[in-house]
Each structure stands twice: as structure tokens, then as C-alpha cells.
Amino acid sequence: MTTTSFYQTDEETIERFLALRGEAIAHATAASQAAWPELFARRGPQALAACAEDIAYHLDFLHPSLASGDLSPFLAYLGWLAQVLSSRGVPCDSLPRSLDDLGEFFAKRLGAAARPVLAALTAGREALAGGLPPPSYDRPCPVPWEEAEAFGNAMLAGQRREASALFNQALDREGSLAGAEVHVVQPALYEVGRRWQQNGVSVAQEHLATAMAQSLMAQGFGRAEAAADNGRKALLACPAGNHHSVGLRMVADAFELAGWTVHYLGADVPQAALIDQVKQLRPDLIGLSASLPQQLRSLRETLAVLRASLADRRPRIVVGGLVFNQFPLLAQSFAAELLGADAVSAAAAASASLNC
């Protein structure tokens, strides 16, 4: 049986692992092309690009598992990718073969230091051979309100009026914008993501649903009544590389409605711009969000620069996002507090901790 924990990798080996990333991708991509020449010839240059992208993700998900000693993010990713590839007609043995190719590469380039990398790759291959199930990336999920399922279907169908009516119905009944966002929008978008994973909806439909959800949340905010100003400022951002900002927008809404002044920077914020805004605005709290394990390196670098540049003037720094909800052990290496599992709990925890 595959275990989800193993020894952590030392920093020197991780740095060497990261430095070899480009070469490893090229090696494994070329090996895949040699193994399935007809497939690559039939699908053209796009096949090579897609293969290289997938192998890059192998490494990006493997990295945090090596750093934390927790294999669960890597194994969850492999289960997800196996379902995605299978649903799209990609040969089922291509995934374990790519892990073997990476193992061959790192064994040669890292020598004895490759032991943790090879152990993780072997564990992944064994898990796949044992029928690794796809992860439930919609778990943990807030309890859906009665409108959530129909709301999600309406968004996928492009039925804005129907989606708006359902969202307003929930908002009118419960009297809480943050609650409607967490218990209607969030479960609906999780279901959209799950159906994309199964090849049940297209990328365009997923984008349509996300854009519609953001629009309706903004519409709902115009109806909401915020608490009195509590004198606190929060700056919220997705560091560079994280383009998934809907959850952070929910957090921003919850903070504003709780009386905070919120500076919401949105998705994919360059590190230098983020530091500059922090220095100018001097917030009481900085909230940073990561959605996927491959975004953790950027988040870690941003935290280090924040701490170094702000020194004693540093405000409280918290982190959150789907990846921390899914894999709580990953947060331990960031020396930052968790923001909260959802927008409502995040705002409540932040206010309580700062005695607002």
C-alpha cells in the first residue's frame, strides 16, 4: 500500500531538483514522443506542447510534496490527471511511463541525492497501478444551499437571468451576501470544476460560469449593507502565477461587510507591485491566496520578500486558498497563519484575532 508520508528532502537537493526542471521536462517529453510516435504525428505540435505542460505540472506538484514530506498533494494530482487524460482519449500508460522517464533522468543527474525524488515517483506509479481514484477537489465544500445546483446549471447554460434570480432568492432568504457566496456560488463552481475534470463541460463553459459568478457577486454587493468602519485595513492578493481569484473576492466581500477597509488586488499580482502597495497602504493584515500546489513556490518567495522588506513594520500575514484546505500540512512550512477555510470564517477569525 502506498503511504502518503515520507521523509522531507533537504534544501540543497530541492534546489538542484528545481534547477534541473527544464532539462527534465525536455527529457521526459522526448521519451514520450519516442514511445508514441504515431500519436504525436497525428496530433501535431500541439501534442508536444501539451505533453511538456503535463510533465511540468508533474514537477510542480512534486515539489511541495518533497518540501513538506507529505505525498498527498502529488498523489491527488496524479489521480486527477489520470481521469482527465482517460476522458480525453490519451493512452492510459502514458502517465506512469512519464514518471519512469523522470525517475531515469533524476537518478542520472542527482545520483545518491535522488533518493527522495525516486521514492515519490515510485509511490506515484504504485498508486496509479493500484487504481488511484480521482480526488474530490470539491471537498471540503461548504454545505450547499438549495439554490446551488440549479444556479450552477444556469451559469453553464449561459442563463444569466435564471442564475441571478436564484442568487437573489438565496440572498433575500438568508440576508447574507457572504453566506450566499459561500453556500451557493462556491459549491456551484466546485461542481463546474469537477465536471470539467470528467470532460463533461468545456473550458469555454467553465470560463462563462466563472465570469457570470463574479458579475452576480458584484451585483449582490451593491445590495448589501456593511457594518460600521472598524478602523482596520486589509490588503488581499493572489501572488504571481495564481489566476484563480473568485475565492479571494469572496473573502474581500466578507471583510468589507464586517467593517474592514479592503484593498483587493485580484489575481496574478507581480511581487514588486504587491510590496509597493503594502508599503504605501500600511495595512493591518495581508492575505495571500494559493489555489494549487505549483503556486506555493511563488507564495513562499513573496512571503520571504515581505518579511525582509518590512521588518518590524510588517503587518500580520495570513495565507489561505483551496490548496491549504485540501492539504493542511503544506501550511506548516510557511510560518504564516491560515486565513480560514472559507470567506465567512476568514473574516470572523481575522476580526477576532485583531480585537476588532
Side-chain angles (χ1 to χ4, degrees):
M1 180 184 300
T2 301
T3 179
T4 59
S5 63
F6 69 127
Y7 47 85
Q8 286 179 262
T9 311
D10 63 86
E11 285 296 326
E12 181 181 352
T13 299
I14 288 179
E15 288 304 314
R16 292 176 64 191
F17 168 81
L18 294 174
L20 291 169
R21 182 177 185 274
E23 293 180 50
I25 293 169
H27 172 86
T29 301
S32 292
Q33 185 179 24
W36 290 280
E38 294 182 0
L39 175 65
F40 280 84
R42 186 169 66 249
R43 297 192 176 183
Q46 289 184 342
L48 272 177
C51 180
E53 183 178 43
D54 285 343
I55 292 169
Y57 282 137
H58 294 0
L59 301 179
D60 290 340
F61 276 86
L62 180 55
H63 174 208
S65 285
L66 293 174
S68 67
D70 178 16
L71 274 178
S72 56
F74 184 55
L75 297 181
Y77 158 73
L78 291 177
W80 171 84
L81 183 58
Q83 184 178 68
V84 170
L85 295 177
S86 175
S87 68
R88 288 155 175 80
V90 177
C92 61
D93 53 346
S94 63
L95 179 51
R97 170 62 187 267
S98 67
L99 301 183
D100 291 343
D101 294 332
L102 287 172
E104 175 186 291
F105 172 84
F106 284 112
K108 289 180 179 178
R109 297 303 299 273
L110 294 179
R115 184 183 174 194
V117 178
L118 300 181
L121 291 169
T122 299
R125 201 187 197 295
E126 291 176 349
L128 288 169
L132 184 63
S136 297
Y137 277 124
D138 57 345
R139 299 291 183 271
C141 177
V143 176
W145 287 353
E146 62 187 68
E147 295 86 2
E149 181 177 359
F151 177 78
N153 291 334
M155 289 195 300
L156 285 173
Q159 297 171 342
R160 178 182 168 81
R161 290 182 181 177
E162 178 66 19
S164 178
L166 288 163
F167 185 71
N168 286 327
Q169 175 180 299
L171 185 56
D172 291 340
R173 184 185 66 249
E174 301 293 338
S176 168
L177 173 64
E181 290 178 346
V182 168
H183 296 283
V184 176
V185 178
Q186 191 169 337
L189 289 178
Y190 278 2
E191 175 63 15
V192 170
R194 187 185 67 81
R195 289 168 67 177
W196 175 86
Q197 178 180 330
Q198 298 173 340
N199 205 24
V201 302
S202 68
V203 171
Q205 286 178 295
E206 186 181 29
H207 285 203
L208 174 65
T210 300
M212 193 177 296
Q214 291 174 312
S215 173
L216 293 175
M217 286 163 53
Q219 176 182 301
F221 190 82
R223 297 180 49 197
E225 184 175 346
D229 188 343
N230 62 25
R232 300 284 189 177
K233 288 193 295 185
L235 184 147
L236 305 177
C238 296
N242 183 7
H243 298 269
H244 298 82
S245 61
V246 177
L248 190 67
R249 178 69 262 178
M250 293 180 185
V251 173
D253 288 351
F255 268 64
E256 287 200 57
L257 294 175
W260 291 69
T261 296
V262 177
H263 299 274
Y264 168 75
L265 305 188
D268 193 31
V269 181
Q271 187 179 99
L274 174 61
I275 303 299
D276 183 61
Q277 282 293 94
V278 170
K279 290 180 177 179
Q280 288 187 40
L281 297 173
R282 304 291 297 273
D284 299 284
L285 178 144
I286 301 171
L288 303 177
S289 175
S291 298
L292 301 170
Q294 67 263 36
Q295 297 159 4
L296 296 180
R297 185 182 186 190
S298 174
L299 176 61
R300 190 185 304 277
E301 292 172 350
T302 299
L303 288 171
V305 173
L306 277 171
R307 289 172 177 135
S309 61
L310 300 177
D312 294 337
R313 297 177 291 108
R314 185 175 74 240
R316 185 176 182 191
I317 300 175
V318 294
V319 298
L322 181 61
V323 66
F324 295 112
N325 291 349
Q326 287 286 326
F327 312 112
L329 287 178
L330 295 180
Q332 295 179 2
S333 63
F334 282 81
E337 296 180 60
L338 285 175
L339 188 57
D342 58 57
V344 174
S345 62
S351 295
S353 67
L354 290 175
N355 298 316
C356 293

